[in-house]
């Protein structure tokens, strides 16, 4: 399916220009989190235990965290990785709160105001298989 932009009265096809490095995609998305998702950037590459979140963000409307995982190519383990990140985010809440407070200060949001039920894991990938697309449409408890 082609995507077009409009130049006055003429439609111009937008050609795909793949990223050479996954980091290029990270940087572009992180600099535009507010426009794309309505999120505020907190930190890249947050490590908790043996896990590393590509991007940690804050959703001011939901008062909740969003963890973004980037995949440049096809990846079979993206779902289990997302579930692990969700579990880690709930198990180590203080690490996420600390990252938020280090970025925006303690007055951004009080820890008791955080809506942990609205924590989201966002996957950005070139493609998803049928099983992944089906799973990604459910809401975890």
């Amino acid at each position: 399916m082609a995507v077009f932009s409009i130049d006055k009265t003429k439609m111009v096809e937008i050609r795909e220009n793949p990223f050479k490095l996954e980091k290029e995609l990270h940087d572009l998305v992180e600099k535009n989190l507010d426009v794309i998702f309505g999120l505020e950037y907190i930190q890249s590459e947050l490590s908790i235990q043996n896990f590393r979140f590509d991007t940690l963000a804050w959703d001011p409307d939901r008062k909740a965290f969003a963890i973004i995982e980037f995949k440049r190519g096809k990846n079979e383990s993206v779902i289990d990785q997302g579930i692990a990140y969700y579990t880690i985010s709930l198990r180590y809440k203080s690490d996420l709160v600390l990252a938020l407070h280090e970025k925006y200060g303690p007055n951004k949001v009080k820890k008791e105001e955080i809506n942990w039920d609205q924590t989201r894991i966002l996957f950005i990938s070139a493609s998803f298989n049928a099983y992944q697309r089906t799973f990604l449409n459910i809401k975890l408890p």
Side-chain angles (χ1 to χ4, degrees):
M1 182 167 123
V3 177
F4 297 89
S5 67
I6 299 172
D7 182 13
K8 296 185 183 179
T9 60
K10 184 177 181 184
M11 293 178 60
V12 179
E13 184 175 0
I14 298 173
R15 302 259 181 215
E16 181 179 346
N17 187 11
F19 294 96
K20 291 179 182 160
L21 301 173
E22 191 175 292
K23 182 68 175 142
E24 294 173 326
L25 178 60
H26 284 221
D27 292 344
L28 181 64
V29 171
E30 287 176 350
K31 288 177 181 155
N32 293 283
L33 280 174
D34 57 334
V35 175
I36 301 169
F37 300 112
L39 300 174
E40 298 171 358
Y41 172 82
I42 297 174
Q43 184 178 334
S44 293
E45 314 254 337
L46 174 66
S47 292
I48 300 175
Q49 297 297 307
N50 292 327
F51 298 92
R52 184 189 49 79
F53 302 166
D54 286 341
T55 302
L56 178 64
W58 176 251
D59 185 330
D61 295 331
R62 294 179 176 177
K63 291 192 185 285
F65 289 98
I67 298 163
I68 303 172
E69 179 61 27
F70 296 89
K71 296 296 181 194
R72 186 168 172 257
K74 202 173 193 179
N75 190 302
E76 298 300 325
S77 69
V78 71
I79 300 303
D80 51 341
Q81 187 176 6
I83 292 169
Y85 286 178
Y86 180 77
T87 302
I88 290 297
S89 72
L90 297 179
R91 189 174 294 156
Y92 296 93
K93 293 176 181 178
S94 60
D95 290 285
L96 277 68
V97 173
L98 180 61
L100 177 67
H101 286 177
E102 284 178 347
K103 176 72 175 180
Y104 293 106
N107 295 328
K108 175 75 169 173
V109 66
K110 304 289 185 230
K111 64 182 180 182
E112 57 274 0
E113 296 174 331
I114 296 171
N115 188 346
W116 294 100
D117 292 337
Q118 291 293 313
T119 299
R120 293 186 293 163
I121 311 298
L122 305 170
F123 300 101
I124 298 176
S125 178
S127 65
F128 295 99
N129 65 37
Y131 296 109
Q132 292 166 340
R133 285 191 304 272
T134 301
F135 181 81
L136 292 174
N137 288 319
I138 69 163
K139 183 182 180 326
L140 294 174

